[in-house]
Amino acid sequence: MSILLMLVLLCARCLSCAQCGSVTEIQALTSLKLNLHDPLGALNGWDPSTPLAPCDWRGVSCKNDRVTELRLPRLQLSGQLGDRISDLRMLRRLSLRSNSFNGTIPHSLAKCTLLRALFLQYNSLSGQLPPEIGNLAGLQILNVAGNNLSGEIPAELPLRLKFIDISANAFSGDIPSTVAALSELHLINLSYNKFSGQIPARIGELQNLQYLWLDHNVLGGTLPSSLANCSSLVHLSVEGNALAGVLPAAIAALPNLQVLSLAQNNFTGAIPASVFCNVSLKTPSLRIVQLEFNGFTDFAWPQAATTCFSVLEVFNIQRNRVGGKFPLWLTNVTTLSVLDVSGNALSGKIPPEIGRLEKLEELKIANNSFSGEIPPEIVKCRSLRAVVFEGNRFSGEVPSFFGSLTRLKVLSLGVNNFSGSVPVSIGELASLETLSLRGNRLNGTMPEEVMWLKNLTILDLSGNKFSGHVSGKIGNLSKLMVLNLSGNGFHGEIP
């Protein structure tokens, strides 16, 4: 037999094999279509008689006449996946996200051994994550978030995974320590499940990990200090668990960490200085720190303020147990845009150095024991949109300089010891949406200047000593949704 004849026969055999594969894939996709409810008619063009079927079908991509990608996101498709999808043996990418697929994830999907990316998020899938998924040796992206999946995570997962997002399901049990074997991981999102036990210390072995999100589970124990070895970590969030103990200073000092969110846990002790202060020669990175609803009791003061650098923008410690005076060194963190220390045990006066925080947009110090008068230096914070000072012991008159903060949308000064009348300058706050002066000792007639605030949605003047008629101009406040004038000496009818 001549070499030429052999090549012809070999090519013919290859063509026949390719055609067989194509026929099998047409049958698999047609079976999928028949099992689905397609209210938008998205798959009406899936016709086996078309010249390039299935490669010219909507959502199908091919290489060498074999299906390599199936992308059908956001098409309102519903029904079950079925086992025939495993006949797409050359499939590298499967995206069925944001539909209404139900039933289980087929175990046979593990036969698609070339699969690199699996997007099944935001459907109605149930059951367990098939353990056979660990056989997908090349899988790099696994996203099944926002389904009704349950059970435990398989102990063996594909070793080349870079992104795993199984959030917003009902997974339970321990987080397997074998996740440390997935050395290429960049993102782990296990949030909004029912995981219990402790965070595996071995996660600290993941040198490439950038995002670790474990929010709203029932995790206990402490925050492993070994996480400080995750030198690539950018975002660490463990909100809404039952974690306790102290915050390891080395975690807050991670060289690339930008977001640290530990809210709604049981952490105690001092907030480490590394949260506010970078004393190394490297450019600081931490920008957002959310520690609210814990049991922190103190700040670990930076030791060398002259060599302390920070780019912190958001610092929230509301509802902790931090006492003492307002930390003066905090006014050196001039990058702050949001500062919330509400619901602690802080006392004394607000220092005039608060005016250094010229980038502040939100200043919330409610429900502490601050006293004295509000320092006029606060007018240097011209970007302020929210000032929430309720539930303290501030006294004197309501400062007229608030009228200079023309970006204000929220001004909440209730439950203090303010006296006198409402300053006319309040009428300059054209953007104001919430004004609460409740529970003070303010007097005089109903503040006419308040009637100029056309964007007000909430007005609370209750529990003061106002008197006289309710102004007829209150009808000018067309956006008003909440009006409370109780506990005053107003009389007559509301217009």
Side-chain angles (χ1 to χ4, degrees):
M1 185 182 295
S2 69
I3 295 176
L4 180 60
L5 179 59
M6 288 177 64
L7 289 173
V8 169
L9 291 173
L10 182 60
C11 288
R13 182 177 180 183
C14 291
L15 181 60
S16 176
C17 290
Q19 289 173 336
C20 289
S22 182
V23 169
T24 301
E25 291 173 345
I26 289 173
Q27 292 173 345
L29 291 171
T30 301
S31 175
L32 174 65
K33 174 186 174 181
L34 292 174
N35 286 332
L36 298 181
H37 177 56
D38 179 14
L40 302 181
L43 308 183
N44 287 348
W46 281 21
D47 182 356
S49 66
T50 57
L52 299 177
C55 299
D56 58 350
W57 292 359
R58 178 174 184 170
V60 178
S61 297
C62 295
K63 184 176 182 179
N64 298 326
D65 297 322
R66 299 296 300 274
V67 175
T68 56
E69 297 187 7
L70 179 59
R71 302 189 190 193
L72 301 171
R74 299 191 303 273
L75 295 175
Q76 299 181 28
L77 299 172
S78 61
Q80 299 191 9
L81 292 177
D83 286 325
R84 289 299 305 271
I85 200 165
S86 65
D87 289 337
L88 305 177
R89 296 299 174 86
M90 305 302 289
L91 197 64
R92 286 168 170 76
R93 187 183 188 95
L94 176 60
S95 177
L96 304 176
R97 62 186 175 86
S98 304
N99 284 288
S100 298
F101 286 99
N102 53 47
T104 60
I105 299 174
H107 290 246
S108 59
L109 192 62
K111 295 179 182 179
C112 300
T113 54
L114 299 179
L115 204 58
R116 297 290 182 269
L118 179 59
F119 298 98
L120 299 177
Q121 67 267 37
Y122 307 121
N123 281 283
S124 298
L125 297 167
S126 57
Q128 297 187 335
L129 196 60
E132 293 87 351
I133 208 161
N135 298 331
L136 297 174
L139 193 67
Q140 297 179 5
I141 301 174
L142 172 61
N143 194 334
V144 294
N147 282 281
N148 300 313
L149 299 168
S150 58
E152 299 187 357
I153 304 179
E156 303 298 327
L157 290 168
L159 292 177
R160 292 188 61 190
L161 269 182
K162 293 183 178 180
F163 304 90
I164 177 169
D165 187 347
I166 63 173
S167 61
N169 280 283
F171 289 109
S172 58
D174 292 344
I175 299 173
S177 61
T178 50
V179 73
L182 312 180
S183 59
E184 297 184 32
L185 271 176
H186 286 64
L187 179 147
I188 300 175
N189 188 357
L190 311 184
S191 301
Y192 295 94
N193 280 286
K194 300 176 181 179
F195 290 110
S196 56
Q198 300 190 13
I199 300 173
R202 289 193 60 197
I203 288 182
E205 299 174 20
L206 299 174
Q207 295 294 302
N208 293 310
L209 190 63
Q210 296 179 0
Y211 301 91
L212 177 58
W213 297 331
L214 306 176
D215 303 322
H216 296 281
N217 284 282
V218 283
L219 297 168
T222 60
L223 194 63
S225 58
S226 60
L227 293 180
N229 297 321
C230 298
S231 55
S232 300
L233 204 58
V234 172
H235 190 153
L236 172 60
S237 188
V238 295
E239 286 189 7
N241 283 284
L243 297 167
V246 300
L247 167 57
I251 291 179
L254 278 165
N256 295 298
L257 192 65
Q258 295 183 25
V259 180
L260 177 62
S261 184
L262 312 181
Q264 301 176 51
N265 281 284
N266 300 315
F267 290 107
T268 56
I271 299 169
S274 52
V275 168
F276 322 99
C277 181
N278 187 331
V279 295
S280 71
L281 297 178
K282 293 184 177 180
T283 303
S285 60
L286 195 56
R287 297 181 184 277
I288 298 175
V289 174
Q290 295 173 308
L291 306 179
E292 61 266 32
F293 297 94
N294 277 287
F296 290 109
T297 54
D298 198 4
F299 300 106
W301 293 56
Q303 296 299 311
T306 55
T307 58
C308 183
F309 304 98
S310 178
V311 291
L312 196 62
E313 296 175 8
V314 176
F315 182 53
N316 189 338
I317 60 164
Q318 71 163 307
R319 296 291 295 274
N320 278 274
R321 300 174 185 171
V322 178
K325 307 295 183 184
F326 186 97
L328 187 60
W329 49 265
L330 195 56
T331 63
N332 293 322
V333 186
T334 56
T335 50
L336 277 173
S337 62
V338 176
L339 176 59
D340 191 343
V341 298
S342 304
N344 282 279
L346 296 165
S347 60
K349 295 184 177 182
I350 299 298
E353 288 83 357
I354 195 77
R356 295 174 183 168
L357 305 179
E358 296 183 359
K359 294 183 179 180
L360 265 188
E361 296 179 16
E362 297 182 17
L363 178 57
K364 300 179 179 180
I365 61 173
N367 300 316
N368 282 282
S369 296
F370 291 117
S371 58
E373 297 186 355
I374 298 174
E377 287 80 3
I378 202 171
V379 298
K380 296 178 182 178
C381 308
R382 295 192 177 277
S383 296
L384 276 171
R385 293 183 291 107
V387 170
V388 182
F389 287 7
E390 289 218 359
N392 283 284
R393 300 174 184 172
F394 291 111
S395 58
E397 296 186 346
V398 174
S400 61
F401 53 70
F402 276 130
S404 302
L405 300 174
T406 54
R407 297 185 182 181
L408 273 183
K409 292 188 175 182
V410 177
L411 179 58
S412 182
L413 305 177
V415 196
N416 279 285
N417 295 316
F418 291 112
S419 58
S421 58
V422 177
V424 175
S425 60
I426 291 291
E428 301 295 324
L429 302 177
S431 299
L432 201 63
E433 297 174 0
T434 298
L435 176 60
S436 175
L437 301 175
R438 68 188 181 96
N440 283 284
R441 293 182 291 174
L442 300 171
N443 55 36
T445 58
M446 187 168 191
E448 193 74 15
E449 50 278 2
V450 172
M451 303 305 118
W452 307 341
L453 304 176
K454 301 291 181 64
N455 288 305
L456 270 186
T457 58
I458 298 175
L459 174 59
D460 192 345
L461 305 178
S462 63
N464 282 284
K465 298 180 179 180
F466 294 115
S467 59
H469 286 279
V470 176
S471 172
K473 294 181 180 178
I474 200 167
N476 295 338
L477 305 179
S478 58
K479 297 182 180 180
L480 201 61
M481 299 175 65
V482 176
L483 173 64
N484 192 348
L485 306 178
S486 63
N488 284 287
F490 293 120
H491 56 83
E493 296 181 357
I494 296 178

